[in-house]
């Protein structure tokens, strides 16, 4: 690295180029540390029953704020063990549990105890802002892979590793400003997650009503009552039929040699993975390139307006299905998936995939799966086709599918917005936590949007972390705050 490549006002450090007025410190230089333990489980009644003190485990960590814990401990546990009540604003870091767990974080919003798998980082508030440190630790979570070690199966990190963690530090005012902005985006992400969860709950309740006939859509069932059937009460004008009356064929593909690849291309011959179907949805990108020597062996393509079912999978995923909206001439079905061919065009495909995913029939499909291995189950064709299901008239099938599909579209739109917001946050962290983009810090506590009023929009737009997000260049007087406001309202 030469001085010519270092922008004016910046300097080279062991962690890269940062602003001249920023510092690089070890976490141990700006915080104190604490630990915890697990009170004896053999004294559950004494140490855990009716506990009042929060007790944090790795599974309680959410890379965000900790309001509550799965378990609490009693005053006896506090008095008779080495548990310590760590103060609010303490940051917790997971040390054990393998590469998917180490480095997970949480920030205490109220005092709490922890178990021995966590390290408590108590920031010196004159040197570091706890909320800034939380965001920085989350941004650098991959760092732990380079330091993790273990003589056991799962890698882990130590408290000394955490103390040695290098962290970039702007002034306290700028740390605060950065933390406010990133926390604001976190709040937006949390709000989107809550909206998605609410809409999914509404869809589940609606499925329960419409797919069983407990509630009829306008124009259907007027003057009709209910009747008894082998599946319980159903509308008088509905039937109970085996799937064999709706499905003409279940065709599985063949197993072929394949090559793992992260690049999905609709014009490259690929074989679907069993993970290509889940919860009524089809994911064509869940596929692997077919080896050149085996391309001619592949034979069944996913076709438009059809259903694919996972006939062989783990106990939790066997029987999953997905709706295929269009034909994929270069994708092929493997031997562990079925492509469904219906007997009549009068059967609504979207209604059927919703029905197969409805809890009552979803569970029934899993129950007919057999296998001596606890890790893999298989569904036999005769058993699948013999399953009895509700069957309304075709016009009502289409109407039900229309209502529930509209709900799916709403959820998908929110999921896309969530993905875009998460990508936006990654770009913001890349800019703000490295000093590439500086925030204007006033004498009073600014709002997140005001903080961006004079930042360098072009740096943000060109951040490598924002790949895939369309942010067209605007007039120079347009601020980054305006851009963020646009995406908030989208």
């Amino acid at each position: 690295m030469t001085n010519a490549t270092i922008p004016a006002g910046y300097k080279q450090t062991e962690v890269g180029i940062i602003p001249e007025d920023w510092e690089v410190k070890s976490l141990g230089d700006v915080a104190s540390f604490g630990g915890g333990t697990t009170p004896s489980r053999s004294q559950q009644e004494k140490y855990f029953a009716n506990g009042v003190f929060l007790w944090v485990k790795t599974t309680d960590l959410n890379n965000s704020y900790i309001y509550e814990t799965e378990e609490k401990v009693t005053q006896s546990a506090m008095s008779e063990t080495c548990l310590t009540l760590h103060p609010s604003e303490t940051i917790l870091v997971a040390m054990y549990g393998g590469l998917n767990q180490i480095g997970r974080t949480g920030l205490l919003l109220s005092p709490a105890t922890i178990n021995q798998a966590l390290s408590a980082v108590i920031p010196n508030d004159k040197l570091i802002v706890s909320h800034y440190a939380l965001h920085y630790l989350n941004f650098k979570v991959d760092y732990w892979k380079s330091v993790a070690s273990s003589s056991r199966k799962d890698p882990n990190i130590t408290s000394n590793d955490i103390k040695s963690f290098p962290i970039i530090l702007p002034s306290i005012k700028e740390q605060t400003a950065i933390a406010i902005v990133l926390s604001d985006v976190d709040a937006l992400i949390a709000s989107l997650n809550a909206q998605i969860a609410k809409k999914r709950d509404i869809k589940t309740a609606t499925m329960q009503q419409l797919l069983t006939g407990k509630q009829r859509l306008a124009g259907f069932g007027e003057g009709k009552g209910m009747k008894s059937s082998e599946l319980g009460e159903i509308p008088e004008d509905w039937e109970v039929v085996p799937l064999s009356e709706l499905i003409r064929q279940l065709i599985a593909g063949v197993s072929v040699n394949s090559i793992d690849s992260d690049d999905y291309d609709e014009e490259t011959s690929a074989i679907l993975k069993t993970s290509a179907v889940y919860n009524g949805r089809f994911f064509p990108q869940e596929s692997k390139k077919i080896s050149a020597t085996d391309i001619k062996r592949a034979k069944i393509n996913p076709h438009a307006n059809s259903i694919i079912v996972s006939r062989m999978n783990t106990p939790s995923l066997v029987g999953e299905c997905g709706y295929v909206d269009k034909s994929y001439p270069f994708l092929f079905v493997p031997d562990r998936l079925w492509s469904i061919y219906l007997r009549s065009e009068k059967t609504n495909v979207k209604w059927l995939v919703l029905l197969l995913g409805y809890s009552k029939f979803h569970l029934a499909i899993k129950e007919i799966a057999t296998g001596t291995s606890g890790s893999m189950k298989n569904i036999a064709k005769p058993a699948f086709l013999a399953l009895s299901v509700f069957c309304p008239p075709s016009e009502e099938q289409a109407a039900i599918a229309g209502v529930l599909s509209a709900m799916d579209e709403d959820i998908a739109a929110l999921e896309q917005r969530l993905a875009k917001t998460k990508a936006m946050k990654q770009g913001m962290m890349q800019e703000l936590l490295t000093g590439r983009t500086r925030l204007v810090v006033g004498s009073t506590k600014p709002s997140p949007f005001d903080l961006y009023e004079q930042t360098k929009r072009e740096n943000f737009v060109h951040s490598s972390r924002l790949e895939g997000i369309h942010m067209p260049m605007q007039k120079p007087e347009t601020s980054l705050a305006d851009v963020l406001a646009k995406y908030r309202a989208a």
Side-chain angles (χ1 to χ4, degrees), residues 273-322:
K273 301 177 184 178
T274 53
S275 53
V277 289
Y278 180 72
N279 198 28
R281 297 171 68 179
F282 175 60
F283 303 94
Q285 67 273 19
E286 287 294 308
S287 56
K288 298 186 289 184
K289 291 181 180 178
I290 300 174
S291 298
T293 55
D294 266 16
I295 288 177
K296 290 184 178 180
R297 295 186 59 243
K299 59 181 182 179
I300 303 296
N301 304 112
H303 58 282
N305 196 36
S306 68
I307 303 170
I308 291 180
V309 178
S310 178
R311 72 168 190 87
M312 182 183 292
N313 212 324
T314 61
S316 61
L317 295 176
V318 69
E320 288 292 335
C321 60

Side-chain angles (χ1 to χ4, degrees), residues 9 54 115 120 134 226 273 316 380 385:
L54 298 179
N115 74 358
L134 176 72
M226 303 292 282
K273 301 177 184 178
S316 61
L385 293 173

Side-chain angles (χ1 to χ4, degrees), residues 192 195-204 279 281 404-418:
L192 289 170
Q195 290 179 59
I196 290 169
K198 182 177 180 180
K199 284 187 177 290
R200 283 176 177 162
D201 288 343
I202 292 172
K203 182 196 169 187
T204 298
N279 198 28
R281 297 171 68 179
L404 296 175
S405 295
M407 290 183 172
D408 281 335
E409 290 172 6
D410 287 345
I411 293 170
L414 282 172
E415 289 174 337
Q416 289 176 3
R417 186 178 173 196
L418 175 62

